[in-house]
Amino acid sequence: IVWQTPANPDYIFRNGRYVKPYYFEFISHVKNRWAGKTIVDLFSDEFKGRPRDYYESAVKSGRIQVDGQKVSVSYVVQSSQKISHFLHRHEPPVMSWDVEILCEEPDVLTVCKPASVPVHPCGQYRKNTVVGILQAEYGLAPLFPVHRLDRLVSGLLILARSASRADLFRQQIESGAVQKRYIARVIGVFPDKQQVVNANVNYNAREGRSTVE
């Protein structure tokens, strides 16, 4: 699947950064193991996030197309054909308004990633991402994240301006020449001296936070 960041984003700032709903095209190409299936069987078998009735309706209305054309629900797909699935996207808001650029060089961009903003397009987020905001508001594209920070984490984020520069950074990270350091805010009385805690990090998906006891 090719994730496309829509051009000309329309942001709304009101107690956070919102994106006006927009239409988005998910693109995939028929794999060899998909060939010979009907278009509805393909989506029902491979993309189980929606019921079969939805895919039948989407094909009939033209929201699912093959090679840019409407097809019937009994249409049999062939290898390498382009399949488009058009959706009306409603992105969740993020709490931060800005992505602060700390240093801009010809081949490297360093920014302060705010909490609540994902680094790159993923899940429900396309425009409300660090990469999407920098592209829309500063015309900075393409960008290649060298590392990532979780959506709820803020901190220093390095983005390369080319694939070759990104590969060099990744090699340095893998070799230990570049390291990340996290600083956590704590409640209570914390030891004055350095203390090593060997404990599991418990993540609560419902509350969206991690804890260590």
Side-chain angles (χ1 to χ4, degrees):
I1 296 176
V2 179
W3 302 104
Q4 299 173 329
T5 301
N8 303 320
D10 199 351
Y11 292 112
I12 299 173
F13 298 93
R14 185 175 58 243
N15 296 324
R17 179 188 289 263
Y18 290 77
V19 177
K20 285 188 176 180
Y22 57 90
Y23 283 98
F24 183 79
E25 180 184 9
F26 286 88
I27 298 174
S28 59
H29 289 84
V30 178
K31 302 177 182 179
N32 289 333
R33 65 183 176 86
W34 295 356
K37 292 185 177 182
T38 67
I39 186 69
V40 174
D41 285 342
L42 187 161
F43 272 88
S44 297
D45 294 342
E46 302 293 336
F47 304 98
K48 301 182 184 295
R50 298 174 183 270
R52 184 182 181 89
D53 290 347
Y54 168 84
Y55 292 125
E56 290 180 352
S57 173
V59 171
K60 291 176 181 178
S61 65
R63 297 197 306 277
I64 292 179
Q65 299 180 5
V66 179
D67 289 335
Q69 303 294 324
K70 289 182 64 175
V71 296
S72 67
V73 293
S74 59
Y75 181 85
V76 177
V77 300
Q78 303 300 321
S79 181
S80 299
Q81 285 184 306
K82 173 188 171 184
I83 297 180
S84 300
H85 185 192
F86 298 93
L87 290 175
H88 201 227
R89 302 283 297 181
H90 295 254
E91 289 195 28
V94 297
M95 301 312 297
S96 179
W97 283 30
D98 298 313
V99 175
E100 181 183 0
I101 297 177
L102 302 179
C103 183
E104 183 176 353
E105 301 177 16
D107 56 353
V108 179
L109 185 71
T110 307
V111 304
C112 182
K113 176 200 164 316
S116 81
V117 182
V119 173
H120 50 70
C122 59
Q124 299 181 72
Y125 296 91
R126 302 260 80 74
K127 301 179 182 182
N128 258 344
T129 63
V130 172
V131 172
I133 292 169
L134 291 173
Q135 177 180 344
E137 299 189 345
Y138 298 96
L140 295 169
L143 293 173
F144 301 84
V146 172
H147 61 97
R148 61 181 297 274
L149 295 172
D150 289 343
R151 182 175 63 86
L152 299 179
V153 175
S154 63
L156 197 69
L157 184 68
I158 301 173
L159 303 105
R161 305 292 297 273
S162 67
S164 59
R165 186 62 169 147
D167 288 338
L168 179 59
F169 268 117
R170 292 190 186 104
Q171 292 172 18
Q172 292 176 330
I173 291 173
E174 291 173 0
S175 67
V178 177
Q179 297 179 340
K180 287 191 293 184
R181 176 175 295 179
Y182 291 87
I183 299 175
R185 179 178 294 174
V186 299
I187 297 175
V189 180
F190 206 70
D192 293 331
K193 298 181 180 180
Q194 178 174 318
Q195 181 174 340
V196 177
V197 178
N198 184 12
N200 293 327
V201 177
N202 303 311
Y203 177 66
N204 187 319
R206 183 182 298 273
E207 297 182 1
R209 66 177 181 175
S210 301
T211 58
V212 174
E213 295 185 1

